[in-house]
Structure formats: structure tokens, C-alpha cells
Amino acid sequence: MSQLLASTGTIAAIATAVVPQQGSVGIVRVSGSQAIAIAATLFHAPGRQVWETHRILYGYIRHPQTQQLIDEALLLIMKAPRSYTREDVVELHCHGGIIAVQQVLQLCLENGARLAQPGEFTLRAFLNGRVDLTQAESIADLVGARSPQAAQIALVGLQGKLAQPIRQLRANCLNILAEIEARIDFEEDLPPLDDKAIISEIKNIAAEISKLLATKDKGELLRTGLKVAIVGRPNVGKSSLLNAWSQSDRAIVTDLPGTTRDVVESQLIVGGIPVQVLDTAGIRETVDQVEKIGVERSRRAANAADLVLLTIDASAGWTKGDQEIYAQVKHRPLILVINKIDLVETRFIASWKYPDKINQIVTTIAAQNQGIDTLEIAILEIIKTEKIQAVDIDLAINQRQASALIQAKISLEQVKTTIAEKLPLDFWTIDLRGAIHALGEITGEEVTESVLDRIFSKFCIGK
């Protein structure tokens, strides 16, 4: 069922995470014309509490037929249009956990509501003009933010600061289109078009689009994070490095080689960027079947990583085993981590010869938590040189928005070609309309049902 067809009737969903024995409050959200009536059927407010908009009531939720007490709760009423969806909305604030909030949701469904589809509350906010598509996507980004910087970028989009330049670019295209169409309809009454002025304006619009496109990589990095794999021979200090970096004992550390048999994961924040660190099993030839599986998983993790930390033991130097591992990961951005440098003199390390394709070299004493700051600086430097521009950004586009901007830019380039080839004015308008449509898809001023389905299906049900 499509999102537009689904966005009718009164909907209900749990708006908070449902976790056993955790969460002090669980919220059931109801939106639609029957929301307040459903609340009145289920909620009993003692005393003379006034049922008015934007007021919180205290009371009990009871089964309407049996009058069985379901939960002690709070009721928040938000009448249209002063609500998230611009419909009548009520929120039942119950006790957290699993049972109470699920029972309250079931009562709402039995008394006139249906279960909301993923993102349907935000879809209704969009359809009712409360938010545009960039703001809707920013809501999802804010919920899923994995770092303060990612949350800040989402808030900028939620405030409409991404939509503003897009709308302005679209307005500029519409102005050019109006000038062209005026000449088509009233050619004899108006002076000829200034081709050079039109081309100049189109170039300015394309330049602004390019600036927005330049934010995509950093935006994607802030949203999805960086996957970093720590690889190396057994017992070079990979697990010690992970533990020192994450300030925890996520990985088992012993003097026995081959202790790590599987990939151990830790989530960190480096320079505001989410980082998923994978401590892998030591890569070596082995007859141990369990260790062999771990080694194969290590290879897969390294090949899927955005960045590889090839860790070696300073006391052993650059060995044949290190060279073999390097040959397997050299196609990825790579930092050489020389661990256990307290066991050798610095002059010996300086004399080693390393492969040319190593991006950075960092020395550490992981067991003593030394060198972690230098490692993070090296990672941020690689991010700047390998993945994104070394600039701070106030906003960032996502993949869908980037695709539309690219399409708009291609259409504008085609308009310039059409003008250069001196084709009739009607031909100018074809690709100009294509650019206008692409820009309108970003904010939702021109959008198809399939685009809405694709966007809102990624939301959680309660949002």
C-alpha cells in the first residue's frame, strides 16, 4: 500500500523504544480526527481537570468494556493545527518496558485507530504543509545521529536552512523560464532575449549547485560514520590498541598469539565523526579450524573498511608476515601503527623501509595508552585528504538530494548547449523545466508517490 493511500484515518504507534526492564516512560502517539475521542474512551482523569489543547492531564487508562485498570498515565492533548502532524494528536505517557505500553497501543487499535506505517506521522506533517521534504529527512537524521556534529547538521536541516538555497535556485530557474516563455507568447511586443545574460545566470545557478554537492561526502561521513579495521599479525597489540582507544576492555589481551578469534567491534567518536573500530583476528596461516575462520573474517573486515590500521610489533620490525598482510590491504587507505616502541630504540625504527602506499605512520605503546591522540590526528588527516574537503560545513545534503542536484546541473548544462546551438526558444524550456523539477523534488514542491514511499519507509513506525 502506498504512503499517500495509507495516510488516511486515525493512526497510532509507540513513539519510544520498547526495551525489557528499561525506560521509565513509554509513549503511545495517536493522530487523526478520532484521536481525542479514542483518548476520552480510554483515559479517566480524576477531579475537575480541563480537557483542553496543550494541557497535560493525570489519570488512569482503563479497558472501556471491563474497566480493568491498564496503567497510571499522563495524557497530552494537541488539537489541530498546533501539532506535529497538524491533525488532532494525543500522547499517552505510560510506564516503560514492554507490557503496559503494548496494552495501551492495542486498546487504541481496538477503539478506532490503525497501526501507523513507518514514517507516517512525519508524512502527514509533510502532506499538511508543516515540514518540507528536507526537514522530514532531517528529522530521521536527528533520530539516527551518532555524534553531536551529525545532530547539529540535522538540526540545521530541520530549521529549513537546506531548503532555503534550494528554493532560491528553483525560483531563479523559474524566473528564467518566465522570461523565455514571455518571448514565445509575446515575441513581437518584447525586446529580444539577452543570450549572454541567460547563460551567465545559468552558470551562477550551476555554481551554487556545485557548492551544495561538495557537502555530500562529509554529510555522508557524519551520518554513517567511518569503518576502521585494525589488522596485523597475532600478538602485535591489536586488542591492546582497541582497549586503549575505547578506554574499555572490549578485547581479550594476553601474551598468547591468536587470542582474538572473531571480529570485536567498538563505537567511538573522533573529531565529531562516528567511528566503528573493528579489532580483527591475527592474520596468519594456521591449521586451527576456529582460528582459520577468524582469519578469513579479518580479511573480509579489512576489505570492507574505509580505513585500515596495519599494526606491527616494533621489536620484530617489518617482517615477511607484515608484508603479506600489507599486500592484502594496500588498496585501502592505510595507517601503519608501530606498536610497542618502548621495546626498541627510535633510531632503529627510522631506518626501516616501508612500502610507498602507506598514508600515515604512527607510533604507540598501546599497553600504556600512549599514542592514541596522534593516531586520531592521523585519521582525521586521512579523512580530509582521501574522503572529504578540509573545510567545515553548516549543512550537508544526502544521497537522494545529491542525485536530484546532479540531475538539475545536467539539465542546466543542456540548456547552455541548446542556446549555443541557436535552437528555438521552445527547446530552451525543455531542459530548464527538467532542472526546475529536479530542484522541486528535493523540497517536495514537485514529488512523486514513489519518492515519498522511498523516503518515509526508512523511518521508524512511531515517527
Side-chain angles (χ1 to χ4, degrees):
M1 181 169 56
S2 73
Q3 290 281 3
L4 290 179
L5 292 176
S7 58
T8 58
T10 298
I11 56 174
I14 299 172
T16 49
V18 179
V19 183
Q21 301 179 341
Q22 296 184 32
S24 58
V25 177
I27 299 175
V28 176
R29 179 178 292 153
V30 187
S31 179
S33 59
Q34 298 300 309
I36 296 176
I38 292 171
T41 301
L42 305 179
F43 191 83
H44 297 263
R48 298 182 178 179
Q49 301 179 64
V50 180
W51 286 59
E52 61 185 15
T53 188
H54 293 79
R55 185 183 183 94
I56 297 177
L57 307 181
Y58 162 80
Y60 302 91
I61 299 172
R62 296 183 181 275
H63 193 288
Q65 280 75 48
T66 66
Q67 292 302 301
Q68 177 186 351
L69 179 64
I70 303 300
D71 197 9
E72 181 183 26
L74 298 176
L75 172 66
L76 173 59
I77 303 170
M78 292 168 281
K79 292 185 177 179
R82 295 173 57 205
S83 72
Y84 180 68
T85 61
R86 284 193 172 168
E87 301 175 331
D88 287 344
V89 172
V90 297
E91 289 184 352
L92 294 157
H93 294 229
C94 318
H95 285 93
I98 294 179
I99 301 302
V101 70
Q102 291 282 8
Q103 287 181 315
V104 172
L105 174 62
Q106 186 59 38
L107 284 179
C108 292
L109 300 180
E110 291 173 0
N111 287 273
R114 64 168 175 80
L115 185 63
Q117 293 193 7
E120 191 170 354
F121 289 96
T122 304
L123 172 64
R124 291 187 176 201
F126 165 70
L127 294 176
N128 292 327
R130 189 184 183 282
V131 297
D132 62 38
L133 273 190
T134 64
Q135 291 173 306
E137 290 173 303
S138 295
I139 291 168
D141 289 340
L142 183 59
V143 172
R146 297 168 57 193
S147 71
Q149 284 76 5
Q152 189 60 42
I153 292 294
L155 283 171
V156 168
L158 186 55
Q159 293 168 353
K161 293 182 180 179
L162 174 57
Q164 290 171 5
I166 301 293
R167 287 200 180 97
Q168 184 58 57
L169 292 174
R170 186 169 181 270
N172 293 344
C173 289
L174 284 168
N175 289 338
I176 296 173
L177 180 64
E179 286 287 327
I180 297 171
E181 290 186 332
R183 296 318 191 278
I184 295 174
D185 295 334
F186 308 102
E187 183 178 6
E188 297 179 356
D189 302 323
L190 294 172
L193 274 175
D194 186 341
D195 295 3
K196 293 183 179 179
I198 295 291
I199 291 175
S200 176
E201 183 63 22
I202 289 174
K203 285 182 178 179
N204 291 337
I205 296 171
E208 292 301 315
I209 289 176
S210 295
K211 289 181 183 179
L212 290 170
L213 283 170
T215 70
K216 175 183 176 293
D217 286 341
K218 185 169 184 178
E220 198 67 24
L221 193 62
L222 289 173
R223 293 184 186 98
T224 62
L226 188 73
K227 185 177 290 186
V228 177
I230 305 175
V231 302
R233 294 181 296 106
N235 211 34
V236 296
K238 300 184 299 298
S239 296
S240 295
L241 181 62
L242 173 65
N243 290 343
W245 197 2
S246 61
Q247 298 182 349
S248 69
D249 294 326
R250 296 296 300 274
I252 299 173
V253 179
T254 73
D255 292 331
L256 299 174
T259 303
T260 301
R261 297 298 183 95
D262 205 347
V263 176
V264 180
E265 178 183 327
S266 188
Q267 301 289 339
L268 306 173
I269 302 294
V270 177
I273 296 171
V275 175
Q276 178 187 16
V277 185
L278 306 174
D279 172 28
T280 65
I283 298 177
R284 64 174 178 177
E285 294 301 322
T286 177
V287 295
D288 185 309
Q289 290 301 314
V290 176
E291 186 179 358
K292 187 176 292 187
I293 294 172
V295 169
E296 182 56 35
R297 289 181 178 178
S298 297
R299 291 192 175 104
R300 289 201 299 267
N303 288 325
D306 300 306
L307 174 64
V308 172
L309 305 184
L310 175 54
T311 307
I312 68 171
D313 183 345
S315 62
W318 182 263
T319 68
K320 180 181 178 182
D322 297 324
Q323 182 64 40
E324 291 173 351
I325 295 171
Y326 167 78
Q328 299 174 42
V329 299
K330 64 182 181 180
H331 62 289
R332 313 301 300 168
L334 189 146
I335 294 177
L336 177 63
V337 180
I338 306 175
N339 192 34
K340 305 181 184 181
I341 60 167
D342 54 323
L343 302 181
V344 298
E345 295 184 24
T346 306
R347 60 190 178 91
F348 291 125
I349 297 175
S351 67
W352 295 348
K353 291 184 178 180
Y354 310 105
D356 295 333
K357 292 186 178 180
I358 292 175
N359 298 77
Q360 298 270 355
I361 298 176
V362 174
T363 57
T364 62
I365 310 175
Q368 300 177 25
N369 293 349
Q370 294 183 23
I372 302 302
D373 291 343
T374 306
L375 175 60
E376 292 190 347
I377 291 171
I379 289 172
L380 292 175
E381 187 63 32
I382 285 185
I383 289 173
K384 292 177 181 179
T385 57
E386 295 289 326
K387 299 186 72 68
I388 59 174
Q389 294 181 354
V391 296
D392 293 325
I393 55 175
D394 296 324
L395 53 83
I397 60 173
N398 61 28
Q399 188 171 3
R400 182 193 74 86
Q401 295 158 357
S403 296
L405 285 171
I406 290 171
Q407 185 55 56
K409 191 174 181 181
I410 291 172
S411 296
L412 291 173
E413 290 298 324
Q414 188 57 46
V415 174
K416 290 195 298 181
T417 300
T418 302
I419 295 174
E421 293 176 354
K422 300 187 181 302
L423 294 175
L425 294 181
D426 301 75
F427 289 85
W428 298 20
T429 66
I430 295 173
D431 291 300
L432 191 54
R433 289 182 185 277
I436 292 168
H437 178 79
L439 293 171
E441 273 198 345
I442 298 175
T443 57
E445 290 164 286
E446 296 190 43
V447 68
T448 63
E449 197 169 312
S450 61
V451 170
L452 294 180
D453 280 338
R454 188 166 66 250
I455 292 172
F456 290 100
S457 63
K458 298 176 183 178
F459 280 60
C460 59
I461 290 179
K463 202 48 150 172

